[in-house]
Amino acid sequence: MADPTYDVAMRAALEEARRALDSEDVPIGAVVLDAAGEVIGRGHNVRERDGDPIGHAELVAVREAAAAVGEWRLTGCTLVVTLEPCTMCAGAIVLARLDRLVFGAFDPKAGAVGSLWDVVRDRRLNHRPEVVPGVLRGECSALLDDFFAHQRLG
């Protein structure tokens, strides 16, 4: 069951996701919260806008958070993202030492936090963040469903 304490942060991530629509990127958004729950990093997909294959919302938000704290270790921080991370982003979550990952919609085609793989909870890795799945799942899924429905029509 989703944790209502992350609803506000997920709504901020959804707002970021909507910003991706301006450049016709897939609407995925993310925020990083510090230990006090303050947003220290924001991001949305910029792959289309920047022509950047690694311009995923999670990586954009994690980079901004690292700059805000002045180091690559994001111990004590939480990443909140609208879609279950892919393998690349799941690896970055582990490497950044984030304490927690909160996500909205599951990604049965590319999800690496339980759907296809479970990178972040692999016992062979040196860090395993807590995972809180399904926060505002319906809203997160609806935004993506609408985007892809319009893509098919266009």
Side-chain angles (χ1 to χ4, degrees):
M1 171 168 276
D3 186 336
T5 60
Y6 293 110
D7 285 5
V8 171
M10 186 60 75
R11 289 192 196 292
L14 279 162
E15 190 58 39
E16 278 298 313
R18 290 182 190 94
R19 293 184 63 212
L21 294 169
D22 294 339
S23 57
E24 299 182 14
D25 269 289
V26 177
I28 300 169
V31 296
V32 176
L33 308 175
D34 65 12
E38 297 297 318
V39 174
I40 59 169
R42 295 179 181 275
H44 57 275
N45 274 6
V46 294
R47 291 188 313 167
E48 296 298 328
R49 186 192 78 190
D50 295 354
D52 181 0
I54 62 171
H56 289 209
E58 299 95 311
L59 299 182
V60 174
V62 165
R63 280 187 194 122
E64 188 173 291
V69 299
E71 69 168 304
W72 63 268
R73 286 179 195 87
L74 295 176
T75 306
C77 296
T78 299
L79 174 67
V80 179
V81 60
T82 58
L83 182 67
E84 177 184 0
C86 68
T87 53
M88 175 179 64
C89 293
I93 291 163
V94 171
L95 294 172
R97 308 294 194 271
L98 285 151
D99 280 9
R100 187 173 302 100
L101 165 65
V102 176
F103 70 88
F106 287 84
D107 186 352
K109 294 181 180 177
V113 186
S115 289
L116 289 182
W117 300 279
D118 202 348
V119 173
V120 300
R121 290 180 279 216
D122 190 317
R123 294 194 182 279
R124 295 169 292 182
L125 298 175
N126 65 341
H127 178 74
R128 288 180 299 282
E130 174 189 354
V131 176
V132 180
V135 174
L136 300 182
R137 179 180 184 177
E139 291 179 49
C140 294
S141 294
L143 183 60
L144 289 163
D145 290 346
D146 286 350
F147 174 79
F148 287 114
H150 285 94
Q151 291 290 315
R152 285 189 291 274
L153 293 174

